[in-house]
C-alpha cells in the first residue's frame, strides 16, 4: 500500500478544533497519513485561550530528528511556532532532512485575540522560514503583520501577496475571511506572475475556530498527494467551505468547524 505522508509542526488544541488536532483530522479525511511535531500546548475552549505552555527546545528538536530519521513526509506544514528560536530550529531541520512542499500557516493570534507568536519571532519567520515555503497562507491581519501594510481592499491584498513572494515564498494566499465588506469571501492566490481568485459565499456563523489550520492542512494533504498548488488550494477551499457550512454547533464561543463535512458531501451524505 502506497500511502502519502504529511507532517504538521504546530501547537496542540485540547478542544480539537485547531492546531495539531485539526491538521490530523484533515489529513485523515483526505487520505493522507499524518505525523506531528508539537511545539506548544494551548489550554483553550471555544471562549478563548486560557494558557499556552511551550514544549522545550530540546523536546521539539528530538521530535524533528525522530521524524526525519525514519519518515519521509511528502509535504510539511507549520502552524504555531511560538518563538524565534523554534522557527530557526525548524528551518535548520528542514534543510538537514531535505523536506519539500512547505506550507506556512503563520499562526499569530487566536480567534479570541490571544497572541500565539512572540513579537520577535515575526522577523525570524520572514528571514529564516519564508524563503523555504512553497505557499504561505496568512489571513488579512497576519498579512498586515508580515508586510507592515494596512490592508483594506482587494488591490491591497494583491500587493501584500506580491510582497510575500518577494520575501521568498513561491506562492502567497491571502485569505479574505476578515474582510467584512462583502457577502462573498475572496481568497487571493499569487504565483509570482499571475493572480487566482477563489470566491465563496460568506457563512453567517460563529463556529469558525480552526478555519486557518484546517484550510492549510487541506492544502498540505493535497500537495502530499501530488496536486499542483492551484489544484490543492481549490480542493482545500471546498473542504473548508463545507466544514463551515455544515456546522457542529459546539460550545458557547467560536466553535470548531466540521471536518467530516467534505467527505460526507462527496459520498452524497449531509
Amino acid at each position: 500500500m502506497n500511502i502519502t505522508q504529511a507532517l504538521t509542526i504546530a501547537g496542540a488544541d485540547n478542544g480539537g478544533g485547531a492546531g495539531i488536532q485539526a491538521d490530523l483530522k484533515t489529513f485523515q479525511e483526505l487520505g493522507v497519513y499524518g505525523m506531528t511535531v508539537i511545539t506548544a500546548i494551548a489550554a483553550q475552549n471555544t471562549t478563548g485561550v486560557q494558557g499556552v505552555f511551550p514544549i522545550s527546545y530540546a523536546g521539539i528538536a528530538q521530535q524533528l530528528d525522530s521524524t526525519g530519521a525514519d519518515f519521509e513526509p511528502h509535504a510539511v506544514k507549520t502552524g504555531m511556532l511560538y518563538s524565534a528560536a523554534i522557527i530557526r530550529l525548524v528551518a535548520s531541520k528542514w534543510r538537514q532532512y531535505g523536506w519539500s512542499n512547505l506550507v506556512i500557516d503563520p499562526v499569530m493570534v487566536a480567534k479570541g485575540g490571544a497572541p500565539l507568536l512572540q513579537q520577535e519571532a515575526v522577523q525570524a519567520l520572514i528571514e529564516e522560514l519564508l524563503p523555504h515555503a512553497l505557499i504561505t497562507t496568512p489571513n488579512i491581519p497576519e498579512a498586515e503583520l508580515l508586510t507592515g501594510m494596512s490592508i483594506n481592499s482587494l488591490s491591497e491584498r494583491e500587493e501584500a501577496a506580491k510582497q510575500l513572494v518577494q520575501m521568498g515564498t513561491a506562492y502567497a494566499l491571502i485569505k479574505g475571511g476578515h474582510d467584512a465588506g462583502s457577502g462573498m469571501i475572496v481568497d487571493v492566490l499569487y504565483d509570482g506572475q499571475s493572480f487566482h481568485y477563489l470566491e465563496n459565499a460568506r457563512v453567517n456563523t460563529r463556529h469558525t475556530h480552526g478555519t486557518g489550520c484546517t484550510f492549510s492542512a487541506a492544502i498540505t494533504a493535497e500537495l502530499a498527494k501530488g496536486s499542483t498548488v492551484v489544484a490543492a488550494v481549490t480542493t482545500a477551499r471546498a473542504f473548508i467551505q463545507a466544514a463551515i457550512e455544515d456546522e457542529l454547533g459546539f460550545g458557547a464561543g467560536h466553535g470548531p468547524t466540521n471536518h467530516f463535512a467534505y467527505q460526507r458531501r462527496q459520498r452524497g451524505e449531509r
Side-chain angles (χ1 to χ4, degrees), residues 17-18 111 203-213 240 243-244 247 253-257:
K111 188 71 68 179
V203 181
N204 184 22
T205 178
R206 60 183 170 84
H207 298 289
T208 56
H209 178 56
T211 50
C213 302
I240 192 58
I244 295 170
E247 66 180 44
H254 297 290
T257 63

Side-chain angles (χ1 to χ4, degrees), residues 86-114:
I86 294 171
I87 289 168
R88 287 191 287 268
L89 172 63
V90 170
S92 173
K93 296 301 181 181
W94 173 271
R95 293 189 297 268
Q96 178 180 342
Y97 292 110
W99 290 331
S100 60
N101 293 327
L102 176 61
V103 178
I104 296 179
D105 179 17
V107 176
M108 297 178 175
V109 180
K111 188 71 68 179

